[in-house]
């Protein structure tokens, strides 16, 4: 039996989702959000990062996952927003690592393909598929659905990615070299 926590990092709202795999069965354990907008001023970045760090640690202590998955952040149009999101992600990953969990990272595209079947799925499609895959009575929030999607992605694809990472390194093809030593 494996229990996986998924984290969808955000500076104002960090989603978490915990699923359990027992044989081929996937079971919902918990989900929710860690909000940093109450009790802290918007300009208090260290305070918000501390709330994310402590919130993730509390969720890990409560639900005792074996593995973790977190979304990889891409550069947005606004570089300042990207930096702030990266700091929130760093706080969440550090909390997972200090709890001794192996952290696996997936892009939003990988998660959407794994859960919905195509990489351009909308938030409502992710919510609906997570609801169906886990037999939930209602739709989870958008952030919690993304986090559950990351956990589901790791349950389904984590073994394949681990096997590929442990495979032998590729040998360089010398018969196809071009000028300057470039190879394909």
């Amino acid at each position: 039996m494996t229990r996986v926590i998924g984290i969808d990092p955000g500076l104002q709202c960090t989603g978490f989702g915990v699923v359990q795999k027992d044989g081929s069965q996937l079971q919902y354990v918990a989900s929710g959000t860690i909000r940093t907008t109450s009790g802290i001023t918007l300009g208090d970045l260290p305070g918000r990062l501390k709330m994310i760090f402590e919130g993730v640690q509390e969720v890990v202590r409560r639900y005792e996952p074996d593995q973790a998955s977190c979304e990889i952040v891409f550069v947005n149009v606004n570089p300042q927003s990207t930096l702030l999101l990266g700091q929130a992600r760093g706080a969440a990953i550090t909390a997972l690592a200090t709890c001794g969990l192996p952290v696996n990272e997936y892009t939003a595209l990988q998660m959407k393909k794994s859960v919905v079947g195509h990489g351009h799925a909308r938030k409502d499609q992710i919510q609906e598929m997570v609801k169906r895959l886990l037999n939930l009575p209602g739709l989870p929030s958008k952030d919690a659905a993304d986090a559950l999607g990351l956990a589901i992605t790791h349950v389904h694809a984590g073994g394949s990615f681990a096997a590929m990472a442990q495979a032998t390194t590729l040998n360089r093809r010398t018969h196809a070299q071009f000028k300057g030593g470039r190879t394909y």
Side-chain angles (χ1 to χ4, degrees):
M1 185 165 58
T2 303
R3 191 172 277 198
V4 179
I5 183 170
I7 299 290
D8 179 36
L11 191 57
Q12 292 183 11
C13 185
T14 294
F16 70 89
V18 183
V19 298
Q20 186 168 290
K21 181 182 178 189
D22 191 5
S24 62
Q25 287 289 87
L26 192 61
Q27 300 168 338
Y28 171 84
V29 176
S31 65
T33 55
I34 301 163
R35 297 199 178 272
T36 64
T37 53
S38 62
I40 289 187
T41 62
L42 292 178
D44 184 13
L45 179 62
R48 295 173 93 176
L49 296 175
K50 181 179 183 231
M51 285 183 78
I52 293 168
F53 181 85
E54 291 174 346
V56 169
Q57 283 190 320
E58 181 182 329
V59 171
V60 169
R61 279 193 300 272
R62 182 175 296 164
Y63 298 108
E64 300 177 345
D66 305 310
Q67 299 177 29
S69 59
C70 188
E71 185 174 336
I72 296 173
V73 177
F74 284 102
V75 177
N76 295 322
V77 175
N78 183 346
Q80 181 65 25
S81 297
T82 303
L83 288 171
L84 291 172
L85 181 56
Q87 290 177 356
R89 181 177 179 273
I93 289 176
T94 303
L96 294 167
T98 57
C99 291
L101 292 176
V103 180
N104 303 277
E105 299 172 280
Y106 300 97
T107 65
L109 183 72
Q110 289 172 316
M111 183 270 289
K112 290 174 181 181
K113 281 185 176 181
S114 174
V115 173
V116 180
H118 62 91
H120 300 289
R122 297 182 319 271
K123 293 279 189 182
D124 60 324
Q125 291 173 313
I126 296 166
Q127 288 175 288
E128 185 61 39
M129 283 305 297
V130 165
K131 175 187 168 192
R132 289 179 185 204
L133 288 169
L134 297 174
N135 287 330
L136 300 177
L139 290 177
S141 71
K142 291 176 182 177
D143 295 305
D146 283 353
L148 286 166
L150 288 161
I152 292 168
T153 299
H154 182 66
V155 167
H156 289 166
S160 300
F161 286 130
M164 289 188 315
Q166 290 180 348
T168 59
T169 58
L170 295 175
N171 293 329
R172 188 174 184 188
R173 295 183 182 179
T174 56
H175 70 278
Q177 287 186 336
F178 299 105
K179 284 186 192 175
R182 290 178 286 163
T183 62
Y184 70 96

